[in-house]
């Protein structure tokens, strides 16, 4: 069903399903300590990397609650994979989805993450009929927090010391945007519509 | 992990485990639609109240995640049961708990809720049982979040339309307080 809407194309990026050949790109950012500092599940070695790629290659559509859609972010001009965006369908009756993303630190600062997330939000609201998208990030991860707010997400929660994360008290921010709050990208994009989930 | 000695005493209240004999006073508030408005359950009939009390009689200590202590709040001088207070173990590993309360509307606005909740926070933070205690309520439930604020809890979250509640979109506040904040509060 969903394969018809992939890949998502933006001005500079293509968001597509992961392929076997993406292992090298995955290695280049997943093992980076500055990435691992804020990611929930970390790849420690080649076995973890291969397992992560195998799992993500199968995550190509949202068919039932709990499913995750994982997309590789590739540069249009070189084809290089510079990161990933994952959309998890958290709840069907209330139409909730969580977005997570990683950008290779080498490519940070060019607006690629907002471009990629913007097209994923368009798809989530227009194609999957999601009602609310939320994102969580570490309280110290200023760059991600600013990015999520620039995208138009509201800061809904700021939890202090609510859990242990990598051996320390965690500080966590939650951001959210509702369907009616989301400003669609100006580019006209035709999504096939699935039956409403909310 | 937490097995308090009962009753817990405050200036005016006795907090103690529920007994079967509590049916009438519990039905007096759990049967009211205004009390049920912001609770997950609707108003309870007498039979449902009896079931609820039956469950509560065993909810006196915390052993594992998800366990709850639910206590009857009783005015000591007149032996009147005016509501219930709960302390839930959310995570032992990271020492997280949740508190909650249901009070008979006729006894609200007299500081009983504050007294009882303060006793629960004392219990939760004693001996570093918990590191952080949170509470949550519907954003329309003003008296409930005002009580959280009087306790010195901070508003940590304001969720909008994050779930369906009784057929409509939910809007919820989450408040929290750390042990260090509770111990250091102005008195």
């Amino acid at each position: 069903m969903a394969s018809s809407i992939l890949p998502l194309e933006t001005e500079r990026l293509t968001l597509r399903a992961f392929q076997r050949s993406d292992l090298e790109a995955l290695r280049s950012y997943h093992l980076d300590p500055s990435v691992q500092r804020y990611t929930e599940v970390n790849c420690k070695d080649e076995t973890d990397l291969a397992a992560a790629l195998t799992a993500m290659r199968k995550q190509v559509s949202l068919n039932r609650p709990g499913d995750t859609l994982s997309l590789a972010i590739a540069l249009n001009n070189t084809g290089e994979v510079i990161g990933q965006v994952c959309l998890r369908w958290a709840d069907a009756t209330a139409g909730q989805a969580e977005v997570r993303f990683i950008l290779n630190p080498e490519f940070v600062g060019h607006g690629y993450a907002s471009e990629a997330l913007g097209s994923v939000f368009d798809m989530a609201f227009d194609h999957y009929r999601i009602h609310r998208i939320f994102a969580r990030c570490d309280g110290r991860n200023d760059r991600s927090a600013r990015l999520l707010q620039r995208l138009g997400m509201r800061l809904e929660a700021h939890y202090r010391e609510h859990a242990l994360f990598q051996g320390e008290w965690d500080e966590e921010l939650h951001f959210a945007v509702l369907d009616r709050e989301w400003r669609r990208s100006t580019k006209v994009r035709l999504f096939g519509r699935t039956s409403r989930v909310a | 992990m937490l097995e308090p000695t009962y009753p817990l005493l405050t200036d005016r209240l006795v907090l103690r485990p529920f007994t079967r004999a509590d049916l009438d006073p519990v039905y007096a508030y759990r049967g009211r639609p205004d009390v049920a408005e912001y609770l997950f359950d609707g108003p309870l009939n007498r039979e449902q109240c009896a079931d609820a009390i039956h469950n509560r009689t065993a909810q006196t200590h915390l052993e594992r995640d998800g366990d709850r202590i639910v206590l009857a709040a009783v005015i000591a001088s007149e032996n009147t049961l005016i509501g219930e207070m709960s302390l839930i173990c959310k995570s032992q590993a990271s020492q997280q708990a949740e508190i909650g309360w249901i009070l008979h509307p006729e006894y609200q606005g007299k500081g009983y809720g504050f007294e009882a909740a303060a006793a629960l926070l004392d219990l939760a933070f004693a001996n570093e049982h918990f590191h952080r205690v949170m509470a949550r309520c519907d954003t329309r439930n003003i008296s409930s979040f005002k009580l959280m604020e009087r306790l010195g809890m901070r508003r940590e979250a304001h969720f909008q339309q994050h779930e369906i509640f009784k057929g409509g979109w939910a809007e919820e506040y989450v408040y929290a307080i750390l042990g260090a904040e509770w111990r250091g509060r102005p008195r």
Side-chain angles (χ1 to χ4, degrees), chain B residues 92-134:
Chain B
Q92 275 191 72
S94 48
Q95 299 172 278
Q96 304 289 314
E98 176 173 354
I99 55 169
W101 44 76
I102 306 173
L103 286 180
H104 193 303
E106 274 176 32
Y107 294 94
Q108 290 180 16
K110 298 177 169 61
Y112 290 125
F114 179 89
E115 231 175 276
L120 277 198
L121 288 176
D122 281 339
L123 177 69
F125 290 129
N127 304 314
E128 313 238 323
H129 283 303
F130 291 106
H131 182 77
R132 173 179 169 274
V133 175
M134 53 85 77

mmCIF file of all heavy atoms in Angstrom, chain B residues 92-134:
data_model
loop_
_atom_site.group_PDB
_atom_site.id
_atom_site.type_symbol
_atom_site.label_atom_id
_atom_site.label_comp_id
_atom_site.label_asym_id
_atom_site.label_seq_id
_atom_site.Cartn_x
_atom_site.Cartn_y
_atom_site.Cartn_z
ATOM 1 N N GLN B 92 10.805 1.228 40.030
ATOM 2 C CA GLN B 92 11.738 1.096 41.150
ATOM 3 C C GLN B 92 13.143 1.456 40.703
ATOM 4 O O GLN B 92 13.895 2.076 41.431
ATOM 5 C CB GLN B 92 11.741 -0.355 41.646
ATOM 6 C CG GLN B 92 10.639 -0.653 42.632
ATOM 7 C CD GLN B 92 10.875 -2.002 43.277
ATOM 8 O OE1 GLN B 92 11.767 -2.166 44.093
ATOM 9 N NE2 GLN B 92 10.083 -2.977 42.890
ATOM 10 N N ALA B 93 13.509 1.032 39.483
ATOM 11 C CA ALA B 93 14.869 1.233 38.989
ATOM 12 C C ALA B 93 15.238 2.710 38.986
ATOM 13 O O ALA B 93 16.344 3.080 39.355
ATOM 14 C CB ALA B 93 15.005 0.643 37.588
ATOM 15 N N SER B 94 14.299 3.568 38.576
ATOM 16 C CA SER B 94 14.619 4.990 38.572
ATOM 17 C C SER B 94 13.829 5.758 39.636
ATOM 18 O O SER B 94 13.726 6.974 39.560
ATOM 19 C CB SER B 94 14.427 5.578 37.172
ATOM 20 O OG SER B 94 13.205 5.197 36.632
ATOM 21 N N GLN B 95 13.289 5.027 40.603
ATOM 22 C CA GLN B 95 12.665 5.625 41.794
ATOM 23 C C GLN B 95 11.601 6.669 41.454
ATOM 24 O O GLN B 95 11.652 7.800 41.937
ATOM 25 C CB GLN B 95 13.735 6.265 42.677
ATOM 26 C CG GLN B 95 14.773 5.284 43.194
ATOM 27 C CD GLN B 95 15.892 6.038 43.886
ATOM 28 O OE1 GLN B 95 16.806 6.540 43.247
ATOM 29 N NE2 GLN B 95 15.810 6.138 45.202
ATOM 30 N N GLN B 96 10.652 6.253 40.606
ATOM 31 C CA GLN B 96 9.595 7.156 40.175
ATOM 32 C C GLN B 96 8.246 6.704 40.725
ATOM 33 O O GLN B 96 7.923 5.520 40.687
ATOM 34 C CB GLN B 96 9.516 7.171 38.643
ATOM 35 C CG GLN B 96 10.822 7.542 37.961
ATOM 36 C CD GLN B 96 11.185 9.001 38.130
ATOM 37 O OE1 GLN B 96 10.344 9.879 37.951
ATOM 38 N NE2 GLN B 96 12.434 9.263 38.480
ATOM 39 N N ALA B 97 7.468 7.667 41.232
ATOM 40 C CA ALA B 97 6.144 7.346 41.757
ATOM 41 C C ALA B 97 5.127 8.359 41.263
ATOM 42 O O ALA B 97 5.481 9.423 40.754
ATOM 43 C CB ALA B 97 6.167 7.324 43.283
ATOM 44 N N GLU B 98 3.850 7.995 41.404
ATOM 45 C CA GLU B 98 2.759 8.902 41.039
ATOM 46 C C GLU B 98 1.806 8.991 42.221
ATOM 47 O O GLU B 98 1.546 7.977 42.876
ATOM 48 C CB GLU B 98 2.018 8.353 39.800
ATOM 49 C CG GLU B 98 0.809 9.187 39.414
ATOM 50 C CD GLU B 98 0.164 8.759 38.087
ATOM 51 O OE1 GLU B 98 0.738 7.880 37.396
ATOM 52 O OE2 GLU B 98 -0.897 9.306 37.759
ATOM 53 N N ILE B 99 1.316 10.199 42.515
ATOM 54 C CA ILE B 99 0.279 10.307 43.543
ATOM 55 C C ILE B 99 -1.023 10.765 42.908
ATOM 56 O O ILE B 99 -1.037 11.396 41.846
ATOM 57 C CB ILE B 99 0.649 11.280 44.697
ATOM 58 C CG1 ILE B 99 0.999 12.667 44.177
ATOM 59 C CG2 ILE B 99 1.758 10.711 45.562
ATOM 60 C CD1 ILE B 99 1.103 13.697 45.300
ATOM 61 N N GLY B 100 -2.129 10.443 43.600
ATOM 62 C CA GLY B 100 -3.438 10.856 43.120
ATOM 63 C C GLY B 100 -4.423 10.878 44.271
ATOM 64 O O GLY B 100 -4.125 10.369 45.352
ATOM 65 N N TRP B 101 -5.574 11.485 44.018
ATOM 66 C CA TRP B 101 -6.568 11.588 45.084
ATOM 67 C C TRP B 101 -7.967 11.726 44.512
ATOM 68 O O TRP B 101 -8.154 12.184 43.379
ATOM 69 C CB TRP B 101 -6.273 12.810 45.978
ATOM 70 C CG TRP B 101 -5.928 14.031 45.175
ATOM 71 C CD1 TRP B 101 -6.782 14.841 44.482
ATOM 72 C CD2 TRP B 101 -4.607 14.540 44.937
ATOM 73 N NE1 TRP B 101 -6.070 15.824 43.848
ATOM 74 C CE2 TRP B 101 -4.753 15.677 44.113
ATOM 75 C CE3 TRP B 101 -3.333 14.155 45.366
ATOM 76 C CZ2 TRP B 101 -3.651 16.421 43.684
ATOM 77 C CZ3 TRP B 101 -2.242 14.909 44.939
ATOM 78 C CH2 TRP B 101 -2.418 16.031 44.109
ATOM 79 N N ILE B 102 -8.930 11.318 45.294
ATOM 80 C CA ILE B 102 -10.337 11.569 44.993
ATOM 81 C C ILE B 102 -10.962 12.020 46.311
ATOM 82 O O ILE B 102 -10.869 11.307 47.315
ATOM 83 C CB ILE B 102 -11.062 10.295 44.505
ATOM 84 C CG1 ILE B 102 -10.319 9.670 43.319
ATOM 85 C CG2 ILE B 102 -12.499 10.620 44.122
ATOM 86 C CD1 ILE B 102 -10.893 8.314 42.883
ATOM 87 N N LEU B 103 -11.548 13.219 46.326
ATOM 88 C CA LEU B 103 -12.130 13.731 47.566
ATOM 89 C C LEU B 103 -13.610 14.022 47.375
ATOM 90 O O LEU B 103 -14.029 14.478 46.313
ATOM 91 C CB LEU B 103 -11.439 15.037 47.981
ATOM 92 C CG LEU B 103 -10.029 14.949 48.565
ATOM 93 C CD1 LEU B 103 -9.527 16.338 48.915
ATOM 94 C CD2 LEU B 103 -10.005 14.043 49.802
ATOM 95 N N HIS B 104 -14.390 13.742 48.393
ATOM 96 C CA HIS B 104 -15.804 14.092 48.379
ATOM 97 C C HIS B 104 -15.918 15.614 48.238
ATOM 98 O O HIS B 104 -15.289 16.354 49.009
ATOM 99 C CB HIS B 104 -16.446 13.640 49.692
ATOM 100 C CG HIS B 104 -17.937 13.665 49.654
ATOM 101 N ND1 HIS B 104 -18.647 14.812 49.362
ATOM 102 C CD2 HIS B 104 -18.855 12.686 49.849
ATOM 103 C CE1 HIS B 104 -19.942 14.537 49.388
ATOM 104 N NE2 HIS B 104 -20.089 13.247 49.667
ATOM 105 N N PRO B 105 -16.695 16.103 47.248
ATOM 106 C CA PRO B 105 -16.767 17.552 46.996
ATOM 107 C C PRO B 105 -17.146 18.369 48.234
ATOM 108 O O PRO B 105 -16.692 19.503 48.391
ATOM 109 C CB PRO B 105 -17.840 17.663 45.911
ATOM 110 C CG PRO B 105 -17.810 16.344 45.209
ATOM 111 C CD PRO B 105 -17.464 15.336 46.264
ATOM 112 N N GLU B 106 -17.957 17.801 49.117
ATOM 113 C CA GLU B 106 -18.387 18.562 50.302
ATOM 114 C C GLU B 106 -17.221 18.857 51.248
ATOM 115 O O GLU B 106 -17.324 19.730 52.100
ATOM 116 C CB GLU B 106 -19.468 17.794 51.066
ATOM 117 C CG GLU B 106 -20.854 18.056 50.519
ATOM 118 C CD GLU B 106 -21.904 17.218 51.225
ATOM 119 O OE1 GLU B 106 -21.739 16.940 52.429
ATOM 120 O OE2 GLU B 106 -22.873 16.832 50.547
ATOM 121 N N TYR B 107 -16.153 18.095 51.093
ATOM 122 C CA TYR B 107 -15.024 18.295 52.008
ATOM 123 C C TYR B 107 -13.825 18.931 51.309
ATOM 124 O O TYR B 107 -12.743 18.994 51.856
ATOM 125 C CB TYR B 107 -14.622 16.961 52.652
ATOM 126 C CG TYR B 107 -15.711 16.425 53.550
ATOM 127 C CD1 TYR B 107 -16.653 15.524 53.066
ATOM 128 C CD2 TYR B 107 -15.821 16.860 54.883
ATOM 129 C CE1 TYR B 107 -17.664 15.053 53.877
ATOM 130 C CE2 TYR B 107 -16.824 16.397 55.699
ATOM 131 C CZ TYR B 107 -17.745 15.493 55.197
ATOM 132 O OH TYR B 107 -18.757 15.032 56.002
ATOM 133 N N GLN B 108 -14.072 19.396 50.069
ATOM 134 C CA GLN B 108 -12.986 20.073 49.367
ATOM 135 C C GLN B 108 -12.903 21.527 49.819
ATOM 136 O O GLN B 108 -13.860 22.074 50.357
ATOM 137 C CB GLN B 108 -13.217 20.007 47.843
ATOM 138 C CG GLN B 108 -13.026 18.591 47.300
ATOM 139 C CD GLN B 108 -13.252 18.490 45.800
ATOM 140 O OE1 GLN B 108 -13.268 19.492 45.105
ATOM 141 N NE2 GLN B 108 -13.443 17.279 45.317
ATOM 142 N N GLY B 109 -11.733 22.146 49.611
ATOM 143 C CA GLY B 109 -11.569 23.557 49.943
ATOM 144 C C GLY B 109 -11.275 23.801 51.412
ATOM 145 O O GLY B 109 -11.367 24.927 51.894
ATOM 146 N N LYS B 110 -10.960 22.745 52.135
ATOM 147 C CA LYS B 110 -10.695 22.912 53.567
ATOM 148 C C LYS B 110 -9.267 22.519 53.926
ATOM 149 O O LYS B 110 -8.914 22.433 55.100
ATOM 150 C CB LYS B 110 -11.687 22.062 54.372
ATOM 151 C CG LYS B 110 -13.146 22.476 54.167
ATOM 152 C CD LYS B 110 -14.075 21.557 54.937
ATOM 153 C CE LYS B 110 -15.501 22.074 54.979
ATOM 154 N NZ LYS B 110 -16.128 22.217 53.654
ATOM 155 N N GLY B 111 -8.474 22.239 52.890
ATOM 156 C CA GLY B 111 -7.073 21.909 53.154
ATOM 157 C C GLY B 111 -6.829 20.441 53.470
ATOM 158 O O GLY B 111 -5.697 20.037 53.735
ATOM 159 N N TYR B 112 -7.893 19.625 53.425
ATOM 160 C CA TYR B 112 -7.701 18.203 53.726
ATOM 161 C C TYR B 112 -6.841 17.522 52.653
ATOM 162 O O TYR B 112 -5.985 16.696 52.951
ATOM 163 C CB TYR B 112 -9.045 17.472 53.824
ATOM 164 C CG TYR B 112 -9.854 17.860 55.039
ATOM 165 C CD1 TYR B 112 -11.161 18.322 54.907
ATOM 166 C CD2 TYR B 112 -9.326 17.727 56.327
ATOM 167 C CE1 TYR B 112 -11.918 18.664 56.014
ATOM 168 C CE2 TYR B 112 -10.078 18.076 57.448
ATOM 169 C CZ TYR B 112 -11.384 18.544 57.288
ATOM 170 O OH TYR B 112 -12.124 18.878 58.381
ATOM 171 N N GLY B 113 -7.106 17.880 51.402
ATOM 172 C CA GLY B 113 -6.338 17.287 50.296
ATOM 173 C C GLY B 113 -4.855 17.580 50.440
ATOM 174 O O GLY B 113 -4.014 16.699 50.265
ATOM 175 N N PHE B 114 -4.555 18.810 50.792
ATOM 176 C CA PHE B 114 -3.150 19.202 50.970
ATOM 177 C C PHE B 114 -2.518 18.394 52.103
ATOM 178 O O PHE B 114 -1.414 17.850 51.954
ATOM 179 C CB PHE B 114 -3.056 20.698 51.282
ATOM 180 C CG PHE B 114 -1.642 21.167 51.494
ATOM 181 C CD1 PHE B 114 -0.872 21.599 50.421
ATOM 182 C CD2 PHE B 114 -1.074 21.169 52.765
ATOM 183 C CE1 PHE B 114 0.443 22.014 50.611
ATOM 184 C CE2 PHE B 114 0.239 21.576 52.959
ATOM 185 C CZ PHE B 114 1.000 22.008 51.881
ATOM 186 N N GLU B 115 -3.238 18.303 53.200
ATOM 187 C CA GLU B 115 -2.716 17.581 54.363
ATOM 188 C C GLU B 115 -2.415 16.122 54.024
ATOM 189 O O GLU B 115 -1.351 15.587 54.359
ATOM 190 C CB GLU B 115 -3.780 17.618 55.471
ATOM 191 C CG GLU B 115 -3.260 18.093 56.795
ATOM 192 C CD GLU B 115 -4.383 18.222 57.812
ATOM 193 O OE1 GLU B 115 -5.055 19.278 57.803
ATOM 194 O OE2 GLU B 115 -4.610 17.277 58.586
ATOM 195 N N ALA B 116 -3.360 15.502 53.338
ATOM 196 C CA ALA B 116 -3.215 14.078 53.019
ATOM 197 C C ALA B 116 -2.116 13.863 51.978
ATOM 198 O O ALA B 116 -1.294 12.945 52.105
ATOM 199 C CB ALA B 116 -4.541 13.523 52.503
ATOM 200 N N ALA B 117 -2.075 14.744 50.961
ATOM 201 C CA ALA B 117 -1.065 14.584 49.905
ATOM 202 C C ALA B 117 0.331 14.830 50.462
ATOM 203 O O ALA B 117 1.296 14.148 50.086
ATOM 204 C CB ALA B 117 -1.362 15.543 48.747
ATOM 205 N N ALA B 118 0.453 15.798 51.378
ATOM 206 C CA ALA B 118 1.754 16.072 51.990
ATOM 207 C C ALA B 118 2.241 14.838 52.755
ATOM 208 O O ALA B 118 3.434 14.504 52.716
ATOM 209 C CB ALA B 118 1.655 17.278 52.918
ATOM 210 N N ALA B 119 1.303 14.166 53.422
ATOM 211 C CA ALA B 119 1.686 12.954 54.159
ATOM 212 C C ALA B 119 2.191 11.875 53.196
ATOM 213 O O ALA B 119 3.146 11.152 53.485
ATOM 214 C CB ALA B 119 0.504 12.436 54.963
ATOM 215 N N LEU B 120 1.552 11.786 52.020
ATOM 216 C CA LEU B 120 1.990 10.795 51.021
ATOM 217 C C LEU B 120 3.370 11.150 50.470
ATOM 218 O O LEU B 120 4.193 10.272 50.226
ATOM 219 C CB LEU B 120 0.996 10.725 49.857
ATOM 220 C CG LEU B 120 -0.243 9.868 49.995
ATOM 221 C CD1 LEU B 120 -0.820 9.595 48.606
ATOM 222 C CD2 LEU B 120 0.041 8.558 50.704
ATOM 223 N N LEU B 121 3.616 12.450 50.242
ATOM 224 C CA LEU B 121 4.935 12.858 49.733
ATOM 225 C C LEU B 121 6.008 12.591 50.787
ATOM 226 O O LEU B 121 7.105 12.145 50.465
ATOM 227 C CB LEU B 121 4.913 14.338 49.317
ATOM 228 C CG LEU B 121 4.132 14.644 48.038
ATOM 229 C CD1 LEU B 121 4.088 16.146 47.774
ATOM 230 C CD2 LEU B 121 4.742 13.929 46.827
ATOM 231 N N ASP B 122 5.676 12.866 52.062
ATOM 232 C CA ASP B 122 6.625 12.530 53.136
ATOM 233 C C ASP B 122 6.967 11.048 53.082
ATOM 234 O O ASP B 122 8.132 10.662 53.174
ATOM 235 C CB ASP B 122 6.014 12.856 54.512
ATOM 236 C CG ASP B 122 6.088 14.342 54.849
ATOM 237 O OD1 ASP B 122 6.929 15.046 54.249
ATOM 238 O OD2 ASP B 122 5.308 14.792 55.710
ATOM 239 N N LEU B 123 5.933 10.241 52.912
ATOM 240 C CA LEU B 123 6.129 8.787 52.864
ATOM 241 C C LEU B 123 6.983 8.390 51.661
ATOM 242 O O LEU B 123 7.914 7.591 51.771
ATOM 243 C CB LEU B 123 4.750 8.108 52.786
ATOM 244 C CG LEU B 123 4.726 6.588 52.664
ATOM 245 C CD1 LEU B 123 5.213 5.959 53.961
ATOM 246 C CD2 LEU B 123 3.306 6.104 52.341
ATOM 247 N N ALA B 124 6.664 8.987 50.493
ATOM 248 C CA ALA B 124 7.363 8.618 49.255
ATOM 249 C C ALA B 124 8.839 8.994 49.301
ATOM 250 O O ALA B 124 9.691 8.256 48.805
ATOM 251 C CB ALA B 124 6.687 9.292 48.057
ATOM 252 N N PHE B 125 9.124 10.143 49.897
ATOM 253 C CA PHE B 125 10.509 10.629 49.872
ATOM 254 C C PHE B 125 11.321 10.199 51.090
ATOM 255 O O PHE B 125 12.532 10.397 51.136
ATOM 256 C CB PHE B 125 10.534 12.156 49.728
ATOM 257 C CG PHE B 125 10.078 12.636 48.365
ATOM 258 C CD1 PHE B 125 9.096 13.617 48.236
ATOM 259 C CD2 PHE B 125 10.646 12.106 47.206
ATOM 260 C CE1 PHE B 125 8.685 14.067 46.982
ATOM 261 C CE2 PHE B 125 10.236 12.551 45.949
ATOM 262 C CZ PHE B 125 9.252 13.530 45.842
ATOM 263 N N ALA B 126 10.643 9.624 52.108
ATOM 264 C CA ALA B 126 11.372 9.172 53.298
ATOM 265 C C ALA B 126 12.349 8.069 52.895
ATOM 266 O O ALA B 126 12.038 7.230 52.045
ATOM 267 C CB ALA B 126 10.393 8.655 54.344
ATOM 268 N N ASN B 127 13.514 8.076 53.498
ATOM 269 C CA ASN B 127 14.527 7.041 53.234
ATOM 270 C C ASN B 127 14.853 6.902 51.743
ATOM 271 O O ASN B 127 15.237 5.826 51.294
ATOM 272 C CB ASN B 127 14.075 5.680 53.772
ATOM 273 C CG ASN B 127 13.751 5.753 55.249
ATOM 274 O OD1 ASN B 127 14.516 6.329 56.012
ATOM 275 N ND2 ASN B 127 12.606 5.221 55.642
ATOM 276 N N GLU B 128 14.641 7.987 50.979
ATOM 277 C CA GLU B 128 14.945 7.983 49.541
ATOM 278 C C GLU B 128 14.258 6.832 48.796
ATOM 279 O O GLU B 128 14.815 6.273 47.849
ATOM 280 C CB GLU B 128 16.463 7.916 49.307
ATOM 281 C CG GLU B 128 17.222 8.897 50.180
ATOM 282 C CD GLU B 128 18.067 9.863 49.398
ATOM 283 O OE1 GLU B 128 18.640 9.462 48.373
ATOM 284 O OE2 GLU B 128 18.148 11.036 49.810
ATOM 285 N N HIS B 129 13.049 6.476 49.243
ATOM 286 C CA HIS B 129 12.300 5.454 48.506
ATOM 287 C C HIS B 129 12.152 5.875 47.044
ATOM 288 O O HIS B 129 12.384 5.099 46.135
ATOM 289 C CB HIS B 129 10.894 5.284 49.095
ATOM 290 C CG HIS B 129 10.870 4.506 50.348
ATOM 291 N ND1 HIS B 129 11.367 3.230 50.428
ATOM 292 C CD2 HIS B 129 10.407 4.811 51.577
ATOM 293 C CE1 HIS B 129 11.213 2.782 51.659
ATOM 294 N NE2 HIS B 129 10.643 3.723 52.378
ATOM 295 N N PHE B 130 11.744 7.144 46.857
ATOM 296 C CA PHE B 130 11.548 7.653 45.498
ATOM 297 C C PHE B 130 12.354 8.923 45.297
ATOM 298 O O PHE B 130 12.655 9.647 46.248
ATOM 299 C CB PHE B 130 10.065 7.905 45.223
ATOM 300 C CG PHE B 130 9.271 6.636 45.154
ATOM 301 C CD1 PHE B 130 8.427 6.267 46.198
ATOM 302 C CD2 PHE B 130 9.397 5.780 44.064
ATOM 303 C CE1 PHE B 130 7.708 5.071 46.136
ATOM 304 C CE2 PHE B 130 8.675 4.587 44.000
ATOM 305 C CZ PHE B 130 7.832 4.233 45.043
ATOM 306 N N HIS B 131 12.689 9.154 44.040
ATOM 307 C CA HIS B 131 13.478 10.329 43.673
ATOM 308 C C HIS B 131 12.572 11.453 43.160
ATOM 309 O O HIS B 131 12.856 12.626 43.340
ATOM 310 C CB HIS B 131 14.461 9.932 42.561
ATOM 311 C CG HIS B 131 15.361 11.046 42.129
ATOM 312 N ND1 HIS B 131 16.454 11.443 42.857
ATOM 313 C CD2 HIS B 131 15.315 11.867 41.048
ATOM 314 C CE1 HIS B 131 17.057 12.454 42.237
ATOM 315 N NE2 HIS B 131 16.378 12.731 41.146
ATOM 316 N N ARG B 132 11.490 11.040 42.495
ATOM 317 C CA ARG B 132 10.580 12.018 41.885
ATOM 318 C C ARG B 132 9.164 11.469 41.977
ATOM 319 O O ARG B 132 8.946 10.270 41.771
ATOM 320 C CB ARG B 132 10.963 12.227 40.413
ATOM 321 C CG ARG B 132 10.002 13.088 39.580
ATOM 322 C CD ARG B 132 10.550 13.214 38.159
ATOM 323 N NE ARG B 132 9.614 13.785 37.206
ATOM 324 C CZ ARG B 132 8.698 13.065 36.541
ATOM 325 N NH1 ARG B 132 8.599 11.772 36.735
ATOM 326 N NH2 ARG B 132 7.900 13.658 35.678
ATOM 327 N N VAL B 133 8.221 12.350 42.281
ATOM 328 C CA VAL B 133 6.813 11.953 42.319
ATOM 329 C C VAL B 133 6.049 12.849 41.358
ATOM 330 O O VAL B 133 6.216 14.073 41.376
ATOM 331 C CB VAL B 133 6.217 12.087 43.742
ATOM 332 C CG1 VAL B 133 4.720 11.794 43.729
ATOM 333 C CG2 VAL B 133 6.929 11.142 44.710
ATOM 334 N N MET B 134 5.243 12.227 40.496
ATOM 335 C CA MET B 134 4.457 13.014 39.561
ATOM 336 C C MET B 134 2.962 12.847 39.845
ATOM 337 O O MET B 134 2.554 11.935 40.555
ATOM 338 C CB MET B 134 4.779 12.635 38.103
ATOM 339 C CG MET B 134 4.678 11.174 37.730
ATOM 340 S SD MET B 134 3.010 10.629 37.262
ATOM 341 C CE MET B 134 2.868 11.268 35.613
#
